[in-house]
Amino acid sequence: MTTLISCIGDTDPIRNRHDGALLHLARVFRPEKILLIYSERALLKENNILLALNSIEGYSPVNKKR
């Protein structure tokens, strides 16, 4: 099982009409499990981040939050 552990910042999920780091890694490597560590400001965008991850066609990772 591949796992992506990522800190989430202000540029996730999208920055300047491009994928942020998290979306890019999810699209390219398609880890089975993603553990997200949110900053206080990114926590306000949690719903958008999860929607973006779940919008990747044919991909549904298990998401965990810390």
Side-chain angles (χ1 to χ4, degrees), residues 16-60:
N16 297 330
R17 299 184 183 170
H18 297 285
D19 286 355
L22 175 65
L23 277 182
H24 176 74
L25 292 170
R27 284 185 204 281
V28 172
F29 295 107
R30 294 187 177 252
E32 296 169 31
K33 185 177 179 182
I34 299 176
L35 175 66
L36 302 175
I37 303 165
Y38 290 88
S39 68
E40 286 183 33
R41 288 171 48 175
L43 194 55
L44 299 173
K45 299 191 302 184
E46 177 183 17
N47 194 40
N48 290 342
I49 292 167
L50 295 177
L51 284 172
L53 282 173
N54 290 322
S55 72
I56 299 171
E57 190 174 331
Y59 181 60
S60 58

